[in-house]
């Protein structure tokens, strides 16, 4: 075999095989030569391309002083403070991207026809594209989360941590004693969680579902329920063909920390983000999460997801509103059809708690998108002040253009699967004949092999955009509920099978406690409001 062909084979293998899986190749004799050469190459270049950290992650800086994790700043950071990025920039720049000066102004219509077949960050629409998705957290805490990922030999292409274990939904206080929930956690985790000890949630994006579970079952058989004894084929079929395409392993200890991780195929993840098939994973990424391993295709699909969330929220909101109204509407999208919200299985104040305690992170996530939309803008003089976006007490006001054409354009640019369901709702409402409706669907189709079609409103979309705000809100909310209800319910029913009955019972008990906590918070707020009104009446008398 010629040396150029061997070299090319090694380059391809280095792209596809992350470093933790290299020892697994040793078991196959026919790959011994490949392993030897790959190790020599990696000795000169310590990370494979899959594991190269983007400049964004390497330049992450600790949270502002207002963050609960601020006491964990390293001595190195104190001696030479890092420059705090602005809200429109991210802690990173994709490998191979141009500088900000070379990039020019971002194209306003980058989401017209996104190419989800890309394989490199340099193929993204413009420099620093999607860096708003990277939340800034404490360096030591971030490294502790990454160390958990390194405990898996199965290749993880994309990963993020989310939930109250990463972003507190209530005010935290410094830890006074170690938590009993984690067996031996990293000190950074205990400090950020304020000693309360909350399970940390992860989502792992993988390329090949069955292969990943095969490797993980060999290393972590105790993470699986009895289903694991049936083999990786059955596990992968349960994951891909039941529910929203996610397989959760809850209440497992990794690196001394109690975690829950869900495994999803990258194709399933990108499809939900770009088309809103189920909104199960798209809804999670519409809220601040900490991305630990990035992928260019997922970054592009998630940016489509985020701007679609803004457009959907604008259709649900009146002409003028506040930031908290906008972010609460976005955060509440994924809970509209969630069966847990109609059962005693979740804190009913969860959305308001998330937005209230993560307002700067929501700004970082959505402000660049809002500023790039032509039909909505900030209308608050406080926005001209420096660093206003880091102030959690600021609740800036916004205004949107209610012109039917512009609202129709937003309808036309909604995700494909979601938009189709919305059209069917209005077909029933307007009593449009089937033949005429099918012709309208063909005209509004994004796929046209002969030409590139701009996604602009036609007569049907303009008619939807001319609906009153309350009527449009009702129809869009109905479509959201129908999109989420069944995948979320089936994913919930899958829990006892994938997690086991004991772990599932423990999970339901914790959710019930959160529901009781929410009920107590609601009663306290109501009593406080009544006392305040009574005091005002007494003062007036």
């Amino acid at each position: 075999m010629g040396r150029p062909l061997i070299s090319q084979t090694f380059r391809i293998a280095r792209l596809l095989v992350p470093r933790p899986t290299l020892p697994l190749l040793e078991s196959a004799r026919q790959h011994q030569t490949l392993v030897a050469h790959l190790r020599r190459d990696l000795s000169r270049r310590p990370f494979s391309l899959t594991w190269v950290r983007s400049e964004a992650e390497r330049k992450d800086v600790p949270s502002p002083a207002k963050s609960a994790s601020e006491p964990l700043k390293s001595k190195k950071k104190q001696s030479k403070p890092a420059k705090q990025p602005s809200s429109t920039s991210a802690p990173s720049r994709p490998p191979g991207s141009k500088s900000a000066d070379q990039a020019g102004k971002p194209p306003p219509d980058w989401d017209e026809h996104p190419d989800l077949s890309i394989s490199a960050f340099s193929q993204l629409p413009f420099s620093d594209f999607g860096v708003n998705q990277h939340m800034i957290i404490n360096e030591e805490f971030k490294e502790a989360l990454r160390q958990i990922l390194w405990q898996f030999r199965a290749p993880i292409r994309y990963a993020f941590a989310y939930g109250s274990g990463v972003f507190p939904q209530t005010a935290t206080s410094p830890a006074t004693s170690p938590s009993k929930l984690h067996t031996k956690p990293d000190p950074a985790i205990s400090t950020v969680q304020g000693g309360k000890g909350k399970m940390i949630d992860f989502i792992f994006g993988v390329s090949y579902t069955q292969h990943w579970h095969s490797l993980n079952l060999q290393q972590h058989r105790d993470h699986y329920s009895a289903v694991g004894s049936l083999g990786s084929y059955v596990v992968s079929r349960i994951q891909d063909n039941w529910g929203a395409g996610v397989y959760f392993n809850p209440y497992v200890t990794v690196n001394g920390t109690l975690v829950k991780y869900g495994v999803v195929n990258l194709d399933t993840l990108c499809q939900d983000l770009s088309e809103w098939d189920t909104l199960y994973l798209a809804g999670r990424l519409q809220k601040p999460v900490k991305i630990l391993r990035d992928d260019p295709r997922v970054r592009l699909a998630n940016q489509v997801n985020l701007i679609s969330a803004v457009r959907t929220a604008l259709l649900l909101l009146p002409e003028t509103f506040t930031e908290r109204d906008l972010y609460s509407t976005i955060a509440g999208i994924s809970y509209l059809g969630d069966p847990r919200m109609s059962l005693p299985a979740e804190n009913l104040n969860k959305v308001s708690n998330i937005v209230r305690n993560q307002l700067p992170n929501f700004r970082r996530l959505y402000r660049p998108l809002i500023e790039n939309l032509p039909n909505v803008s900030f209308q608050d003089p406080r926005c001209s002040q420096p660093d206003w976006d880091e102030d959690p007490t600021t609740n800036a006001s916004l205004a949107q253009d209610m012109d039917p054409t512009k609202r129709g354009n937003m309808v036309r640019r909604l995700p494909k699967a979601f938009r189709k369901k919305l059209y069917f709702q209005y077909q029933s409402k307007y009593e449009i004949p089937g033949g005429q409706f099918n012709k309208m669907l063909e005209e509004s189709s994004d796929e046209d092999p002969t030409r590139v079609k701009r996604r602009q409103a036609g007569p049907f979309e303009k008619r939807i955009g001319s609906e009153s705000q309350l009527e449009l809100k009702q129809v869009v909310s109905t479509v959201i509920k129908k999109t989420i209800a069944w995948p979320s319910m089936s994913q919930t029913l899958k829990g006892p099978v994938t997690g086991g009955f004991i772990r599932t019972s423990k999970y339901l008990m914790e959710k019930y406690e959160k529901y009781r906590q929410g009920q107590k918070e609601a009663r306290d707020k109501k009593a406080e409001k009544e006392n305040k009104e009574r005091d005002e009446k007494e003062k007036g008398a």
Side-chain angles (χ1 to χ4, degrees):
M1 183 180 293
R3 185 173 182 80
L5 181 59
I6 295 176
S7 179
Q8 182 66 19
T9 303
F10 295 149
R11 290 193 188 98
I12 296 173
R14 191 169 65 247
L15 266 173
L16 298 178
V17 184
R19 190 175 66 173
T21 61
L22 294 179
L24 297 174
L25 296 176
E26 295 176 351
S27 61
R29 296 194 175 196
Q30 60 269 34
H31 295 303
Q32 287 180 354
T33 305
L34 173 63
V35 172
H37 188 97
L38 204 53
R39 283 179 171 172
R40 286 197 302 271
D41 190 65
L42 287 174
S43 66
R44 298 191 296 268
R45 188 174 181 178
F47 291 96
S48 68
L49 294 182
T50 304
W51 288 73
V52 171
R53 295 182 178 180
S54 67
E55 188 176 345
E57 292 292 59
R58 292 200 300 269
K59 290 187 177 181
D60 254 356
V61 296
S63 304
K66 297 179 283 296
S67 170
S69 57
E70 179 66 18
L72 289 174
K73 281 188 176 180
S74 62
K75 294 181 180 179
K76 184 177 179 180
K77 293 292 181 183
Q78 291 174 348
S79 61
K80 188 177 180 180
K83 183 179 179 181
Q84 182 74 21
S86 65
S87 60
T88 55
S89 65
S92 67
R93 181 179 300 143
S97 65
K98 299 178 181 179
S99 65
D101 296 335
Q102 296 172 327
K105 186 178 179 181
D109 298 330
W110 59 264
D111 61 321
E112 281 275 346
H113 299 282
D115 181 12
L116 295 179
S117 64
I118 63 174
S119 58
F121 288 100
S122 58
Q123 295 175 296
L124 291 170
F126 54 86
S127 175
D128 290 340
F129 178 87
V131 290
N132 55 300
Q133 300 172 22
H134 285 268
M135 298 296 107
I136 301 174
I137 64 173
N138 175 266
E139 282 288 332
E140 287 80 1
F141 182 48
K142 180 181 68 176
E143 190 59 32
L145 296 178
R146 282 179 171 166
Q147 287 300 319
I148 292 175
L149 301 186
W150 282 102
Q151 307 308 311
F152 293 86
R153 289 200 296 266
I156 300 171
R157 296 294 302 272
Y158 181 82
F160 66 88
Y162 67 100
S164 58
V166 181
F167 299 98
Q169 297 175 11
T170 58
T172 59
S173 56
T176 56
S177 60
S179 167
K180 296 181 181 179
L181 186 69
H182 306 303
T183 56
K184 193 178 179 182
D186 189 285
I189 294 177
S190 299
T191 303
V192 169
Q193 294 188 348
K196 295 182 179 180
K198 294 185 177 181
M199 183 168 63
I200 298 180
D201 299 335
F202 293 90
I203 292 292
F204 299 160
V206 304
S207 298
Y208 305 100
T209 305
Q210 183 178 349
H211 175 65
W212 195 93
H213 285 295
S214 176
L215 299 177
N216 200 46
L217 279 166
Q218 295 177 24
Q219 183 187 10
H220 298 299
R221 173 61 185 87
D222 57 315
H223 290 186
Y224 292 79
S225 65
V227 175
S229 61
L230 301 177
S232 60
Y233 176 80
V234 175
V235 171
S236 62
R237 295 287 74 77
I238 291 175
Q239 172 183 324
D240 295 332
N241 301 332
W242 189 359
V246 190
Y247 192 101
F248 281 105
N249 283 329
Y251 295 98
V252 298
T253 300
V254 181
N255 214 32
T257 305
L258 191 70
V259 305
K260 176 183 76 175
Y261 63 91
V263 184
V264 62
N265 188 281
L266 283 178
D267 293 335
T268 303
L269 175 60
C270 289
Q271 183 168 337
D272 190 39
L273 290 174
S274 60
E275 298 189 10
W276 284 13
D277 285 343
T278 66
L279 268 172
Y280 190 83
L281 292 167
R284 279 164 171 74
L285 282 162
Q286 287 166 5
K287 296 176 278 291
V289 302
K290 181 54 191 174
I291 298 173
L292 302 169
R293 287 186 192 160
D294 207 350
D295 179 87
R297 189 159 61 109
V298 180
R299 184 188 287 193
L300 175 58
N302 191 31
Q303 201 75 345
V304 173
N305 171 46
L306 295 176
I307 199 167
S308 299
V310 174
R311 290 183 174 126
T312 303
L314 292 176
L315 293 174
L316 297 171
L317 289 168
E319 183 176 0
T320 58
F321 50 92
T322 65
E323 272 191 299
R324 291 193 179 182
D325 294 333
L326 175 63
Y327 302 145
S328 296
T329 303
I330 293 173
I333 288 175
S334 60
Y335 293 111
L336 275 178
D338 194 331
R340 296 176 302 174
M341 303 305 289
S342 57
L343 298 171
E346 191 56 87
N347 187 338
L348 299 179
N349 301 314
K350 185 170 186 175
V351 173
S352 60
N353 290 341
I354 292 173
V355 175
R356 182 174 63 252
N357 291 280
Q358 297 299 324
L359 190 57
N361 284 334
F362 272 98
R363 286 196 187 113
R364 179 179 183 83
L365 191 61
Y366 287 107
R367 180 185 166 190
L369 300 175
I370 294 171
E371 292 176 342
N372 199 42
L373 286 174
N375 58 320
V376 61
S377 60
F378 288 94
Q379 301 288 325
D380 200 308
R382 290 175 292 183
C383 297
S384 60
Q385 300 176 0
D387 299 330
W388 71 271
D389 51 333
E390 295 294 340
D391 183 6
T393 62
T394 299
N395 186 22
S397 58
L398 297 95
Q400 65 168 318
D401 192 338
M402 302 298 281
D403 178 68
T405 300
K406 292 187 177 180
R407 290 176 73 78
N409 285 335
M410 289 198 296
V411 172
R412 180 67 183 82
R413 294 190 176 194
L414 291 176
K416 179 181 176 181
F418 183 81
R419 186 179 73 240
K420 188 174 182 180
K421 294 174 186 176
L422 182 65
Y423 286 172
F424 276 112
Q425 285 291 120
Y426 275 103
Q427 179 201 15
S428 176
K429 181 177 180 180
Y430 295 153
E431 299 180 349
I432 302 175
Q436 182 182 349
F437 181 72
N438 291 334
K439 183 179 180 181
M440 289 168 48
L441 286 181
E442 290 178 4
E443 292 175 352
S444 63
S445 175
D446 298 334
E447 293 81 11
D448 191 334
T450 61
R451 61 191 178 93
V452 177
K453 298 176 65 175
R454 289 186 60 84
R455 296 168 64 183
Q456 292 181 335
F460 184 52
E461 289 85 4
K462 292 179 181 178
R463 185 177 179 184
I464 296 175
S466 64
E467 291 269 308
S468 69
Q469 188 266 327
L470 292 177
E471 291 179 348
L472 184 57
K473 178 180 179 180
Q474 182 179 2
V475 177
V476 173
S477 298
T478 300
V479 176
I480 293 173
K481 291 177 182 178
K482 289 184 176 181
T483 301
I484 295 173
W486 172 243
S488 184
M489 176 63 76
S490 56
Q491 190 71 39
T492 301
L493 295 175
K494 188 165 70 173
V497 178
T498 60
F501 289 98
I502 295 177
R503 292 175 179 174
T504 303
S505 301
K506 186 177 180 181
Y507 176 78
L508 292 176
M509 288 299 297
E510 287 190 1
K511 289 297 182 181
Y512 179 68
E513 287 299 320
K514 289 184 177 181
Y515 170 78
R516 293 182 58 186
Q517 179 184 354
Q519 294 290 89
K520 183 178 181 300
E521 291 176 1
R523 289 195 299 269
D524 292 344
K525 287 182 179 179
K526 183 178 179 181
E528 182 181 355
K529 183 178 179 180
E530 291 176 350
N531 292 335
K532 186 177 180 180
E533 291 176 352
R534 185 172 60 251
D535 292 342
E536 290 177 353
K537 289 181 180 179
E538 291 177 355
K539 289 180 180 179

